[in-house]
Amino acid sequence: LMLITAAAPALSAASPPAKHLVLVVADDLGYADLGYAGSQIATPNIDKLASAGVKLAHFYVQRACSPTRGALLTGRYNIRYGFQSGVLTSQNNWSLPLDETLLPQFVKRVDARSKCHAVGKWHLGYHRWEHTPTFRGFDSYLGYYSGDEDYYTHQGDCGGFDLHDDSRPDCGAGCSRHAWEAVGEYSTHLFTRRAVSIIREHDAAAPLFLYLPYQAVHVPDQVPAQYVAQYKFARVEGTNARNLFAGMLSCLDEGVGNVTRALRRKGILDETLLWFQTDNGAATPACGGWTGGQNWPLRGGKCTAWEGGLRGVAFVSGAGIARSQRGATAAGIVHTVDVLPTLIAAMGGNAAELAAAGSELDGVSQWPMLSRGLAGARQTVLLEAPHLPTPPHISPHLPTSPHISPHL
């Protein structure tokens, strides 16, 4: 447990609630990689959003992909549903339990007209159709179910082609299709293009929730050459990893800028709240590969229980934030389980009241702190729990899922 005490800041007047939500997750982004954190990597679009919003000085995640994504979308600690033992692999025959209510389902409880779309990495299980995104509250999904894949061929760690276009709710057998036409298209471009299309085609009278968990900047280090040309970082341990990583992050920044411009063209930017975060610290040779990410001055990285693995970059920008708070840095401690109740509060809802009986949230709304400058809502947070062995009633391996096509 971690304990902090903060003085109560000056208060600001409340602003109208946000109508639309965009949640962007960067994969394996380091604590010191963004421009506003002092990096030499150019991230002007992300920096502009952060400077117009509120940065989180003490934002905590889990130490790897699946655990953070589970906590993010449920508002509940991993120990509630067995995700504290690490990431899901392609052969696991278990997933995020179906009795967990996810963020898009909460959004629809606030306003039943809401349209919720997911684009990018899932990594919460897919051994049965009902565990895939469009069965969990999303109206459409384009992305990969597994943990990582090639940025161009979209061949995943599952052992086959893993890029799915699920066009409607409950899109399983006979509906879900493999997006073969995207072979050769860089995933950051692909996911940005789909996000922009969703925004362009959305009926602005209804609330929009866009969940955009990019593949970048996870391994493998792949990016079109034009994004790398501007960088001349020294080679480290004989690799060009920092330059490739910088190009990947610049491309991601371009994507965030294109999404922001699409919201402006649609005329809904001023009604949209955008939350940006990493899922864990940057990868290291000890876990996740040498990608070129930086966690300095924090100790450790992805997969570790040091702050380099658990403390991440995050900010919130846009609708509902008082003008006096724009450009501020919130000193209160925030955990990724707080994102769900905070976003629901930003829409004018109360996640604790909307939660199902027996599924009480561990997250708390930090919206008063972020939108008005009030004190943070928590003093303690569960950062890590012991890894547990695979339960005896669950087989640790399963033949490749029928939802994944064989090798190209």
Side-chain angles (χ1 to χ4, degrees), residues 27 65-70 73 83 88 95-98 102-105 118-138 140-148 162 164 166 191 211 213-215 279:
D27 202 337
C65 307
S66 300
T68 290
R69 291 159 204 274
L73 291 183
F83 268 35
L88 292 176
S95 303
L96 186 66
L98 297 177
L102 305 194
L103 179 51
Q105 296 166 313
V119 183
K121 177 175 176 175
W122 181 237
H123 208 191
L124 291 173
Y126 57 87
H127 71 289
R128 293 200 302 264
W129 284 117
E130 55 264 38
H131 290 273
T132 59
T134 62
F135 290 82
R136 308 303 302 264
F138 290 106
S140 75
Y141 172 72
L142 173 69
Y144 56 108
Y145 293 158
S146 59
D148 68 84
D162 185 13
H164 302 263
D166 302 345
F191 296 152
Y211 175 47
Y214 278 105
Q215 179 178 0
D279 64 341

Side-chain angles (χ1 to χ4, degrees), residues 80-362:
R80 306 288 190 187
Y81 40 84
F83 268 35
Q84 75 275 21
S85 297
V87 301
L88 292 176
T89 71
S90 61
Q91 303 302 314
N92 284 131
N93 65 343
W94 54 281
S95 303
L96 186 66
L98 297 177
D99 57 1
E100 294 292 335
T101 305
L102 305 194
L103 179 51
Q105 296 166 313
F106 276 93
V107 168
K108 291 179 179 181
R109 290 177 183 179
V110 175
D111 192 325
R113 302 173 303 156
S114 299
K115 297 298 181 183
C116 303
H117 303 276
V119 183
K121 177 175 176 175
W122 181 237
H123 208 191
L124 291 173
Y126 57 87
H127 71 289
R128 293 200 302 264
W129 284 117
E130 55 264 38
H131 290 273
T132 59
T134 62
F135 290 82
R136 308 303 302 264
F138 290 106
D139 294 296
S140 75
Y141 172 72
L142 173 69
Y144 56 108
Y145 293 158
S146 59
D148 68 84
E149 64 174 16
D150 188 281
Y151 280 78
Y152 292 97
T153 67
H154 312 297
Q155 186 161 306
D157 64 5
C158 57
F161 185 77
D162 185 13
L163 184 63
H164 302 263
D165 192 350
D166 302 345
S167 59
R168 59 169 173 77
D170 299 338
C171 187
C175 173
S176 177
R177 71 178 190 86
H178 292 96
W180 297 106
E181 70 279 3
V183 172
E185 183 172 4
Y186 188 64
S187 74
T188 303
H189 292 162
L190 174 67
F191 296 152
T192 298
R193 182 165 58 82
R194 172 57 66 92
V196 168
S197 176
I198 288 169
I199 294 166
R200 183 177 60 247
E201 297 173 8
H202 178 69
D203 179 358
L208 169 67
F209 169 46
L210 175 59
Y211 175 47
L212 185 52
Y214 278 105
Q215 179 178 0
V217 284
H218 196 284
V219 292
D221 284 352
Q222 296 174 314
V223 64
Q226 66 265 29
Y227 295 99
V228 183
Q230 63 182 305
Y231 297 109
K232 306 297 180 184
F233 294 110
R235 297 178 69 87
V236 179
E237 297 184 2
T239 77
N240 196 35
R242 186 62 174 170
N243 292 306
L244 292 171
F245 179 93
M248 294 165 71
L249 184 51
S250 289
C251 186
L252 170 62
D253 178 77
E254 177 187 84
V256 172
N258 288 338
V259 169
T260 305
R261 281 185 285 275
L263 293 166
R264 182 180 292 112
R265 287 194 299 268
K266 186 68 175 180
I268 62 174
L269 180 61
D270 291 341
E271 299 177 299
T272 300
L273 183 71
L274 185 145
W275 183 288
F276 179 98
Q277 69 168 83
T278 186
D279 64 341
N280 44 251
T284 70
C287 179
W290 177 245
T291 65
Q294 294 286 342
N295 297 311
W296 186 91
L298 305 181
R299 180 181 182 180
K302 179 179 180 179
C303 301
T304 74
W306 304 113
E307 287 220 332
L310 297 175
R311 185 175 173 186
V313 293
F315 67 83
V316 61
S317 184
I321 298 175
R323 186 172 299 275
S324 61
Q325 288 300 108
R326 298 173 188 174
T329 297
I333 188 169
V334 181
H335 191 271
T336 196
V337 295
D338 297 336
V339 177
L340 185 153
T342 300
L343 294 182
I344 293 301
M347 293 184 70
N350 186 317
E353 295 177 355
L354 295 171
S359 297
E360 291 75 13
L361 300 181
D362 297 305

